[in-house]
Amino acid sequence: MYKIYSVFYICKIARMINKLIIKLRRRRVLTSCVVLVILCGYIVLQTPLSPDLYFIHWNSLEDISCHYIDLDNTLPRAESEEFQPPSRSIFFHETSCKGYLDSRQACAVESAARAHPGWQINVLFAAPVHKNSLKNGSLSVLRNFTNIRLSRVHITNYAKRTPLESMVSGGALNRTRWRISHTSDVLRYLSLYKFGGVYLDLDVVVAKALDPLVRNWAARETDTAVAAGALAFSRDELGRSVAEAAIRDIKSNYRGDNWGNNGPGVITRILKKYCSTSNLSQMSAATCNGFEVYGPQFFYPVVYWKGFEYFEPGEIKLEDTAYIFHVWNKLTSDLPVHKDSPYAKLARKYCPTVYNLYGKDFLLPVRKKP
């Protein structure tokens, strides 16, 4: 009887081992398939115009295919030899595929042009701009300002003969969750690297001319970050040095999985090295080899988590101090504008043409406008 049980258990153990071997074989096959899929995905991700396989947001995948086409565009090319902006230039970049400026973006451009009549205000579109957009809406009135120049940027050509040429042509800006934002990050540093001047975000209101400021500057947003929404790199030795450091940083540290890494992250990292300190409040022209780091009161008088205050009835402190008001469009574009809000008052004062063009529609949320 003992021998019979022994044989029984031996057979049972043998069957278990056999099943385990079969499972292991299946797992090896499955593992091989997974490895193959990953390998194929990696190969696809190295090609230009690759899909956003890393960080897809199924409900809000940003389409930037317009950056690589030239259909229905009527604007001159910013990468042509004819595009030679003067040293006193301000650059705005529109990197969505809509091919026009909404009311708040147009307000930013008009306010910059009014504050700087002797400067060239460059609005560079990453998308084609159709001739109808120039005849209607905000572009039709902005074209009447003699110091505003509208141009089209083909980003792959714009990056040629710069340290970012291979990164851009290799499709890095398609391998990110924030394609529009990260394209803007790269373009702002490219423009300052190529031409020098001032870069401004399109969600600002310019209240005063920037002429009294030093030639090379940035501004702290908080005690932990130098912002990239307003930057000035001149064509002098200092400006060239900082611009080149920024381009090298993007090339070495570009990441598609971190929203701020390629914008404020760039200027913050290079200034920590340039100023030999990680304490942002200690950064100034005296400690940064002549590069000035202004306090937030001059460019970011309202911190981003209080951005809603621009759109509610009330007043904004430091209005006499600030050169620029940044209204944090990423967080506030779905908010309506109260007619007695700080933003409405700023718009009536500093971009009256655009404000009057839109009328009551100026008070609507940008995302809900017809």
Side-chain angles (χ1 to χ4, degrees):
M1 181 67 68
Y2 175 77
K3 291 181 179 180
I4 293 174
Y5 280 122
S6 297
V7 172
F8 173 78
Y9 282 113
I10 290 172
C11 292
K12 187 173 183 179
I13 292 171
R15 286 196 297 270
M16 291 174 63
I17 292 173
N18 186 56
K19 289 181 180 179
L20 181 60
I21 291 172
I22 293 173
K23 287 183 178 180
L24 289 174
R25 288 175 177 170
R26 290 175 177 171
R27 287 182 180 178
R28 280 199 294 269
V29 172
L30 180 60
T31 301
S32 298
C33 291
V34 170
V35 170
L36 182 61
V37 169
I38 292 174
L39 180 60
C40 290
Y42 177 79
I43 292 173
V44 171
L45 287 167
Q46 306 314 306
T47 62
L49 309 182
S50 60
D52 188 357
L53 297 182
Y54 283 143
F55 314 109
I56 285 179
H57 268 191
W58 294 107
N59 295 327
S60 58
L61 183 61
E62 295 178 338
D63 177 18
I64 59 169
S65 59
C66 63
H67 294 183
Y68 307 97
I69 62 175
D70 198 25
L71 299 175
D72 296 326
N73 177 63
T74 57
L75 296 182
R77 301 166 69 101
E79 61 272 13
S80 68
E81 294 182 358
E82 288 75 25
F83 186 72
Q84 295 294 331
S87 58
R88 293 202 300 172
S89 286
I90 293 175
F91 295 92
F92 291 98
H93 283 281
E94 211 299 310
T95 54
S96 74
C97 280
K98 61 190 180 188
Y100 65 91
L101 297 180
D102 63 43
S103 58
R104 297 183 193 179
Q105 293 174 322
C107 178
V109 175
E110 180 185 349
S111 65
R114 287 183 177 277
H116 302 89
W119 292 47
Q120 181 168 299
I121 313 302
N122 303 283
V123 186
L124 279 62
F125 290 84
V129 175
H130 193 271
K131 60 182 179 181
N132 289 339
S133 295
L134 297 179
K135 297 177 181 179
N136 303 289
S138 62
L139 296 186
S140 66
V141 297
L142 292 178
R143 293 177 69 198
N144 295 326
F145 287 81
T146 58
N147 60 334
I148 293 178
R149 177 167 180 171
L150 310 178
S151 302
R152 168 75 198 283
V153 168
H154 297 75
I155 188 167
T156 50
N157 293 328
Y158 202 62
K160 283 184 177 178
R161 295 178 292 281
T162 76
L164 300 186
E165 179 175 1
S166 60
M167 188 192 92
V168 172
S169 63
L173 294 172
N174 297 281
R175 298 190 293 275
T176 169
R177 189 163 110 190
W178 300 278
R179 295 175 174 183
I180 293 173
S181 178
H182 284 173
T183 299
S184 175
D185 290 336
V186 169
L187 282 173
R188 74 188 66 187
Y189 288 113
L190 270 176
S191 289
L192 296 178
Y193 172 81
K194 288 162 70 76
F195 306 113
V198 173
Y199 165 82
L200 297 179
D201 277 351
L202 274 167
D203 54 349
V204 303
V205 179
V206 180
K208 292 192 293 187
L210 303 175
D211 299 84
L213 304 180
V214 299
R215 300 184 68 188
N216 299 284
W217 51 262
R220 286 183 288 112
E221 177 186 331
T222 64
D223 289 337
T224 59
V226 179
L231 298 167
F233 301 166
S234 74
R235 296 178 182 176
D236 62 16
E237 183 178 356
L238 174 60
R240 296 304 305 154
S241 175
V242 176
E244 290 170 3
I247 291 296
R248 289 195 303 270
D249 184 275
I250 294 175
K251 185 176 181 180
S252 301
N253 300 310
Y254 176 84
R255 288 179 57 181
D257 62 338
N258 185 302
W259 178 81
N261 185 75
N262 313 314
V266 172
I267 189 65
T268 301
R269 285 190 297 271
I270 63 175
L271 287 181
K272 284 181 178 180
K273 296 178 182 178
Y274 216 82
C275 307
S276 300
T277 180
S278 295
N279 188 336
L280 273 56
S281 62
Q282 294 181 358
M283 293 180 178
S284 68
T287 59
C288 301
N289 298 296
F291 190 95
E292 186 62 81
V293 182
Y294 291 108
Q297 69 271 21
F298 296 109
F299 299 95
Y300 310 99
V302 176
V303 71
Y304 69 88
W305 61 80
K306 292 184 178 180
F308 62 88
E309 292 181 357
Y310 278 115
F311 304 92
E312 297 178 347
E315 303 291 334
I316 292 294
K317 295 179 181 179
L318 302 173
E319 184 168 353
D320 294 333
T321 303
Y323 285 85
I324 289 173
F325 295 87
H326 197 292
V327 300
W328 311 110
N329 193 58
K330 183 177 176 63
L331 303 174
T332 62
S333 60
D334 58 347
L335 298 178
V337 183
H338 193 280
K339 63 182 179 64
D340 294 320
S341 67
Y343 182 65
K345 295 173 185 176
L346 290 170
R348 286 194 289 267
K349 184 175 182 179
Y350 298 112
C351 61
T353 303
V354 169
Y355 185 86
N356 292 328
L357 172 69
Y358 282 88
K360 292 182 179 179
D361 284 347
F362 191 91
L363 305 178
L364 298 176
V366 171
R367 292 178 186 168
K368 296 180 181 178
K369 284 183 180 178

